[in-house]
Amino acid sequence: MKNANVVIRPFDAATDLKILSTIWFEASLEAHPFIGENG
């Protein structure tokens, strides 16, 4: 694993909400492949 410069800062909804929502959604699809299947 590479060392990276990590900065922890407060959440800013104006700039962070869209990207964090995308990360969450894509991770959810990976973790739960049945999402979106017709049943």
Side-chain angles (χ1 to χ4, degrees):
M1 182 172 144
K2 276 186 176 180
N3 288 335
N5 292 332
V6 176
V7 176
I8 298 175
R9 60 174 174 73
F11 172 75
D12 180 359
T15 59
D16 299 336
L17 187 59
K18 185 174 181 178
I19 189 64
L20 291 176
S21 296
T22 300
I23 292 168
W24 169 83
F25 182 71
E26 290 177 3
S28 294
L29 291 177
E30 286 289 322
H32 305 95
F34 55 85
I35 294 175
E37 288 183 4
N38 292 329

